[in-house]
Amino acid sequence: MAVVGILSKIIDFGLGPIVFRESSKEVDSHKILNSALSIRLVLFFIVLILFDAVIYFLKFSSTEFILSNVLFLSVIFSTRMANFRELLATPFKVHLKMHYPMTLTILDNLLMLVSVILMPFFNGGIYYFVFAYVFSTIPGFVIQFVFLKKKFGFKPKIVFYKSAWLLKEALPLAGFVLLAIVYQQFDVVLLKTLRDEYSAGIYSAASRLTMPLNIIPGVIVTTVFPFLVKNLQDRFKIDAINAMVFKVLFIISFALALIFSFKSEVIVQLVFGIKYRSASLPSVMIFWSLVFMFFNFFTLDLLTAHSKQKLNFIYSLVLVVSNTLLNLILIPQYSYTGVGFAKIAAGFLGFVFLTWALLKNNFKLSFVNLKLLSWVVVTTIIIYRLSFLSLVLYLVTSCIVIIVPLIILNYFEKEEWEVILRLLNKEKWNKYLR
């Protein structure tokens, strides 16, 4: 599964953001989508054939051969690999109708859950599980085509419209995607190699706590991206949207890191048990790295919207090289704590590079001001003082402390609230802002 996951990024080739950008312009969007699907299909068969040739010469067992080939089908059918299904979700993203593909993702997971529950009744083994893992996604895959036809008149075709241009545009992002996988996975490999399996296990547990949070910038960017593309020529609107998104992402990431920091050990023990108590410190460090990574996530899509995706590749090099070097230096002495520090440092260096890239390209970064600094100081002091409370009471009161100062300080301008409500399709609520 790990190998298939890595190889799926070769098939990915960074086409998703380019197709999303061009589809948001509504220029031959169906042709571009079909072309990207066709390119990925060709890459899928090339990678699969080469993979089968390699494992044949390496004398993999027949079980490994069959199961790995079945798992490769998940690259096409499943949302878990974020490949073909990700491209098919593009029209839904453009028209802000992501509830359709998200509902189908829930259907996939429910079918998988039912399959696992029934596993003992069929005396299911590894074959049963892998087949259930892959084929539970087929109904959602088929239904998504029905929705595409009904809502947008989309018909799948094997075409190679502007394929050379698509590959050229996506090439920097292909390198970025591969390096991003290295950034996410290589630290665990280094921990296991330079220290031991225990250290790798502790850090893996810590990273699992933050992994679901990556959906937050993804949801926000998916909502905002079509508006960015459609208003590329209106710099005033672009700056207003950018400022609002940066504000929202900073507040969410800072609040999550702050709230978790003062109760990290309690939360880790609640989720994983007392044996994983040591994961609390690296968890805190990974949470604080999200303050930089949330900013970086949106900035990368902002640069892609303005056809500056070459900077994305340079950013990924900065991230991977700095993270790897710091891990090699810190792991021998500081183990998983060193990896946590390397995550923060690499995220900060990536943040510095992207800040420079934005300023060089005349983007405004107006979200940092006295109101923000006041909010940071006030919330930090109060939440620290509340950390003696029980976990439930602490979480509830902390959420109130996060929100109330924002309202008192009027951190979001009236125009920014109007942008937020427009993006949420709740413009009728503007009357409450007067």
Side-chain angles (χ1 to χ4, degrees), residues 314-335:
I314 299 172
Y315 160 79
S316 63
L317 279 175
V318 171
L319 208 64
V320 170
V321 171
S322 60
N323 190 55
T324 303
L325 288 176
L326 285 169
N327 278 329
L328 290 172
I329 294 169
L330 297 173
I331 285 175
Q333 185 172 355
Y334 298 102
S335 186

Side-chain angles (χ1 to χ4, degrees), residues 37-179:
L37 288 168
S38 301
I39 292 170
R40 280 193 178 173
L41 196 61
V42 171
L43 290 172
F44 172 82
F45 284 112
I46 291 173
V47 171
L48 180 58
I49 291 168
L50 291 174
F51 174 74
D52 282 345
V54 170
I55 64 175
Y56 174 79
F57 285 111
L58 291 177
K59 300 186 184 301
F60 275 49
S61 68
S62 58
T63 298
E64 290 171 325
F65 183 86
I66 294 169
L67 294 181
S68 58
N69 275 268
V70 172
L71 281 169
F72 249 100
L73 293 175
S74 65
V75 175
I76 294 177
F77 298 130
S78 175
T79 55
R80 301 178 190 115
M81 294 295 179
N83 212 301
F84 284 82
R85 290 276 287 269
E86 176 213 11
L87 276 180
L88 290 172
T90 302
F92 298 101
K93 292 179 183 178
V94 171
H95 296 280
L96 301 179
K97 296 183 181 295
M98 278 300 290
H99 51 285
Y100 287 100
M102 290 306 296
T103 302
L104 295 177
T105 299
I106 294 171
L107 173 64
D108 293 348
N109 292 324
L110 284 174
L111 291 175
M112 180 62 189
L113 176 62
V114 171
S115 300
V116 172
I117 291 172
L118 295 175
M119 194 169 172
F121 298 99
F122 294 101
N123 294 318
I126 186 67
Y127 278 100
Y128 176 96
F129 183 82
V130 170
F131 275 77
Y133 179 85
V134 174
F135 294 111
S136 61
T137 62
I138 290 180
F141 179 77
V142 173
I143 295 170
Q144 189 155 338
F145 275 106
V146 175
F147 284 147
L148 283 168
K149 172 72 170 112
K150 185 177 179 180
K151 298 292 179 182
F152 312 110
F154 174 78
K155 294 180 181 179
K157 295 178 181 177
I158 302 296
V159 296
F160 293 94
Y161 174 74
K162 290 187 175 181
S163 57
W165 177 83
L166 269 175
L167 289 169
K168 180 184 175 183
E169 287 287 298
L171 186 58
L173 292 176
F176 164 74
V177 168
L178 285 171
L179 288 172

